[in-house]
Amino acid sequence: MVSYLLRRVIATIPVMLLVAIFIFLLLRLTPGDPATIIAGDYANDEQVAEIRENLGLDKPIISQFFVWIGNIAQGDFGESFFYKKDVSELISARLEPTLSLSILTIILTVSIAVPLGTLAAYKQGSWIDRGIMGFSVLGFSLPVFVIGYALIYLFSIQLGWLPVQGYQRMSEGLGGWLYRLILPSCALSVVFVAFIARMTRTSVLEVLGEDYVRTARAKGQTETRVLMRHALRNAAVPIVTVIGLSFAVLIGGVVVTESVFTIPGLGLLTVEAVLARDFPTIQAVILLFSLIYVLINLVIDVSYTLLDPRIRY
């Protein structure tokens, strides 16, 4: 197990290097000059050139890249062009809202999607199955921002039950923290509930046709025991894979939800940094998202070996 984990961790190094090169070149080659944005509309060419020199943007691209990579290797992500703060400080301040939203959303998603998918498989062909699959198609088709605005209109404006926007840190009170995350978590979870429920149904249906399930039923075991101990347990590998990938996509896809609900997380920070052409901040956030995605894939691979003993290291 240790050697397997070591091999996988080493394999992430070239992946992250390629991601770093791609991000750096993409930002440098797209139109727009951070120095011009910082200088403002009334700055002359000399002022813009001075800002470019201070930011190190007047150097050749290859020199900028190696300076940036060297700093990252030392744990230095640089200073934000726009906020005039260390990027590491910005990310650490914005990390809690994004992780809170993502974790609460995936908990809500799994709690709803897996039982729904299992029920749909058990009731295959019934109105329950058709209803759940209809919800899956609808939920997967609606954009997150449409769901978000619809929930805000209903529960915040019309009923006044929940706040429209904002975030409260967990240290300021667990109740207020949860209260402000209910709407964004529900809005963000719809598409993932639809996707995971559909995948769960497909996986459980495949298992329900196996001989050991029919044997368990012939022995007189209850349907609940058959579903939980035999069907769902043996269908767990693809379900866990989908849940893990959904969590990775979820962390990287909170941009829209945080913008709609004005949650000061990494998603909103990314939007602000893109608008300001804040290269150090954009590069650091995307690298962080990429690293999280790679680590989650590593966890999924390890879970394969734990859930299915036929898979060797």
Side-chain angles (χ1 to χ4, degrees):
M1 172 68 82
V2 175
S3 61
Y4 172 76
L5 287 174
L6 185 61
R7 290 197 305 270
R8 289 306 311 271
V9 170
I10 293 174
T12 63
I13 296 176
V15 173
M16 295 305 300
L17 181 60
L18 288 174
V19 170
I21 294 173
F22 176 76
I23 295 168
F24 186 88
L25 292 178
L26 181 65
L27 291 175
R28 292 312 190 279
L29 297 178
T30 50
D33 185 1
T36 304
I37 297 175
I38 294 172
D41 297 333
Y42 302 103
N44 55 40
D45 293 341
E46 292 181 357
Q47 291 172 325
V48 173
E50 183 180 354
I51 293 174
R52 286 182 58 82
E53 183 180 354
N54 293 335
L55 297 177
L57 298 176
D58 59 329
K59 299 177 181 178
I61 290 181
I62 189 70
S63 300
Q64 295 181 42
F65 176 74
F66 280 112
V67 169
W68 177 60
I69 285 294
N71 291 336
I72 285 182
Q74 300 174 27
D76 181 11
F77 289 99
E79 183 180 82
S80 167
F81 293 168
F82 183 72
Y83 292 98
K84 302 301 180 183
K85 294 181 179 179
D86 287 342
V87 175
S88 301
E89 182 183 341
L90 285 174
I91 290 177
S92 61
R94 301 288 190 106
L95 190 59
E96 183 194 311
T98 296
L99 287 181
S100 297
L101 177 60
S102 301
I103 292 172
L104 190 60
T105 299
I106 204 67
I107 292 173
L108 182 64
T109 297
V110 173
S111 302
I112 297 174
V114 174
L116 281 182
T118 306
L119 179 62
Y122 178 65
K123 297 288 186 180
Q124 182 186 13
S126 67
W127 65 269
I128 295 177
D129 181 25
R130 290 192 292 270
I132 293 174
M133 289 303 98
F135 164 76
S136 296
V137 172
L138 180 63
F140 205 68
S141 303
L142 289 174
V144 174
F145 71 89
V146 172
I147 299 171
Y149 284 127
L151 292 178
I152 288 174
Y153 178 77
L154 178 61
F155 292 102
S156 299
I157 297 176
Q158 292 296 320
L159 299 176
W161 292 352
L162 296 168
V164 176
Q165 295 174 328
Y167 175 78
Q168 178 177 313
R169 293 192 173 275
M170 193 181 297
S171 59
E172 297 174 2
L174 187 61
W177 169 82
L178 183 62
Y179 181 63
R180 290 189 173 275
L181 283 178
I182 292 176
L183 271 189
S185 297
C186 290
L188 193 55
S189 67
V190 170
V191 62
F192 294 101
V193 168
F195 179 57
I196 295 176
R198 197 173 189 85
M199 294 300 298
T200 301
R201 177 185 181 274
T202 302
S203 300
V204 173
L205 272 179
E206 292 178 359
V207 172
L208 286 176
E210 297 292 336
D211 292 337
Y212 55 81
V213 173
R214 288 193 290 269
T215 302
R217 283 171 171 163
K219 289 181 178 180
Q221 294 188 11
T222 62
E223 287 298 317
T224 302
R225 186 177 179 83
V226 169
L227 283 174
M228 298 302 297
R229 183 171 181 178
H230 298 283
L232 191 57
R233 182 178 180 181
N234 287 280
V237 171
I239 296 173
V240 168
T241 302
V242 171
I243 292 173
L245 293 176
S246 297
F247 185 60
V249 173
L250 179 65
I251 290 180
V254 295
V255 175
V256 175
T257 307
E258 289 185 357
S259 300
V260 170
F261 292 93
T262 319
I263 297 174
L266 293 177
L268 191 58
L269 177 63
T270 304
V271 173
E272 295 168 351
V274 168
L275 294 176
R277 303 288 295 173
D278 190 347
F279 289 166
T281 304
I282 300 171
Q283 291 165 175
V285 171
I286 296 179
L287 268 182
L288 177 61
F289 284 154
S290 302
L291 179 61
I292 291 173
Y293 191 88
V294 169
L295 292 178
I296 289 176
N297 275 278
L298 177 61
V299 172
I300 292 171
D301 289 341
V302 172
S303 69
Y304 280 164
T305 62
L306 299 176
L307 293 172
D308 193 342
R310 296 171 295 180
I311 301 175
R312 296 183 178 181
Y313 305 141

